[in-house]
Each structure stands twice: as C-alpha cells, then as structure tokens.
Amino acid sequence: QVQLVESGGGSVQAGGSLRLSCVASEVTYVRMAWFRQAPGKQREGVAAISRVGTISYADSVKDRFAISQDNAKNTVYLEMNSLKLEDTATYYCAAATLYRPWHATYNYDYWGQGIQVTVSS
C-alpha cells in the first residue's frame, strides 16, 4: 500500500507562486500526478509525470505550472506560478501502477489526503 503525503499548500495572492510536494512511501508506481478539486466541481487532472520523465499538463495550467520529480527521494513537485483565483482548490497527489490515460481519476491507485491552495485578489 503506497502512502502519499502532500505538503506546501497555503494562501497566496493572485500572481504569486507556491510549490507543492508529494512523498511516496514506496516505489511501485509508474506515474504520479496532481489533481485538484474546487468546491462544487469535479476533480480534474493538473499535471502528471512518469518515472521515466514523460510530462503532461492540463491546458489551463500549461506555461504556468511545472511538475518535476526526484526519484531518489520518491518525491514529486508541482511548481505553481502566476496563480489565478480559479486555481483555488484542494490539490491531490495520485500514483498509478499502470500506464493509462493520465487525466482520468480512475486510472490512479493511490491518493494523498489533499492539501488546500487558496488564491486571493
């Protein structure tokens, strides 16, 4: 059972930056991703990275967010820049054990507890 622990969330003004981290307890995954869920909305994929370094982004965050990983530390990061009000959400780290379409929540086997990101004007 892989455990995922997120950190780094918080409150920031629009235009600011935050970096999220997610540490996995063991290496049984092939891809890790960040999802987010705003109140009243479905959980959506933000970015994903495979262990070999293949990266995918949602169009809404491309050119503003950057996902990266440190395989030696079993850690994935999400650098979020130029934050907008609409980026406010609970952000979840997820791990997949098979290569399947990255943006679908049902393709992930393990989830973190979620961390709040609030962007204010």
Side-chain angles (χ1 to χ4, degrees), residues 12-13 16 21 30 35 58 71 77 86 91 103 112:
V12 65
Q13 288 192 323
S21 300
V30 297
F35 285 76
N71 286 340
Y77 305 97
E86 52 263 41
Y91 283 70
H103 58 279

Side-chain angles (χ1 to χ4, degrees), residues 76-107:
V76 171
Y77 305 97
L78 185 68
E79 185 76 33
M80 304 185 293
N81 300 309
S82 301
L83 282 161
K84 303 177 180 180
L85 298 179
E86 52 263 41
D87 294 319
T88 295
T90 301
Y91 283 70
Y92 296 89
C93 177
T97 57
L98 295 175
Y99 283 113
R100 294 171 287 194
W102 75 272
H103 58 279
T105 58
Y106 51 79
N107 288 333

Side-chain angles (χ1 to χ4, degrees), residues 5-58:
V5 180
E6 302 110 333
S7 62
S11 298
V12 65
Q13 288 192 323
S17 299
L18 282 174
R19 188 175 85 153
L20 305 182
S21 300
C22 174
V23 180
S25 60
E26 57 186 88
V27 181
T28 56
Y29 57 87
V30 297
R31 175 186 284 133
M32 289 183 73
W34 288 96
F35 285 76
R36 66 186 181 186
Q37 188 167 20
K41 294 189 176 181
Q42 289 190 329
R43 193 171 297 188
E44 62 174 359
V46 175
I49 186 167
S50 72
R51 286 193 62 81
V52 297
T54 303
I55 290 175
S56 302
Y57 292 105

